[in-house]
Amino acid sequence: MRIKVLGCSGGVGPGLRTTSLLVDDEILIDAGTGVGDLSLAQQRRISHVFLSHSHLDHVCGLAFMADNLFDLIDRPVVVHATRQTLDAVRQHIFNWTIWPDFSKLPNEERPLLRFDQIEVGQPTDLGGDRRLTAFKVLHTVPAVGYALESPNGTFAFSGDTWANDDIWAFLNGLPRLDKLMIEIAFPDEQEELGAASRHFTPSLLASELRKLRHHPELFLTHHKPGCEQLIEKQCRTALKDWRYHHLQRGDLITS
């Protein structure tokens, strides 16, 4: 698998894009502002989008991509998510008030977007000996992470999450876990804000990782703008026993 990081920041600004991953040039995991860096030709290749949750920084790119692709493709882009996330996206974005409902355009028989409800723990076959499974995480809205498995290895993406046992129970149940993309939004000084908004800090993540039986390579994501240097400094101590990278827009993860 070839995973290109289109966006991995916890906010926007010069050179910063919010969460979106492009898998093998045809699948999106989340659709934040990073989608806007794809050319029309690249957007036309996307056939599936998997959303972790309904927050704007993870879904806004889907609205603009749908608008771009209108009349350019002759098959629907399938948007996969849990029932709660699909309900939120359809009610609050694709509602004809905020944005057109592209699940009914150009018509209901041949829509641009097709919404598909997924279930936590049920694998989705992606073809090419690849499969993707959603797992439960803890955030301020219903949210999931995703595990991507192929014959060459397993990559997991936590989405936005905070301390909870569900994530570790699922990851510990995987036969192998080679790479884990997991968020740290705030430095330790903002622990209370992290708890309120359900985001990790370096020390909290380090403590939670003790529950993980695997020892994957870590890819750290979702740092809030302005907090990056302090988070990086604190990770040098908190995660000193782990191999890790602070993700940047444009990074490539292979598995």
Side-chain angles (χ1 to χ4, degrees), residues 208-228:
E208 287 289 294
L209 283 169
R210 298 191 188 110
K211 302 174 183 178
L212 183 62
R213 73 176 181 90
H214 303 287
H215 202 81
E217 183 177 4
L218 304 179
F219 295 87
L220 306 179
T221 183
H222 210 276
H223 306 341
K224 292 297 182 181
C227 296
E228 296 95 339

Side-chain angles (χ1 to χ4, degrees), residues 164-233:
N164 69 101
D165 289 336
D166 289 325
I167 181 175
W168 310 119
F170 174 84
L171 294 177
N172 284 336
L174 293 171
R176 63 186 290 185
L177 178 59
D178 304 277
K179 299 178 180 183
L180 173 61
M181 180 176 170
I182 193 161
E183 65 118 291
I184 298 177
F186 298 107
D188 291 334
E189 290 80 356
Q190 295 181 319
E191 179 182 2
E192 289 187 7
L193 178 57
S197 59
R198 298 294 190 264
H199 286 292
F200 274 126
T201 62
S203 293
L204 181 58
L205 177 59
S207 176
E208 287 289 294
L209 283 169
R210 298 191 188 110
K211 302 174 183 178
L212 183 62
R213 73 176 181 90
H214 303 287
H215 202 81
E217 183 177 4
L218 304 179
F219 295 87
L220 306 179
T221 183
H222 210 276
H223 306 341
K224 292 297 182 181
C227 296
E228 296 95 339
Q229 290 186 356
L230 185 53
I231 289 172
E232 291 175 15
K233 178 183 178 181

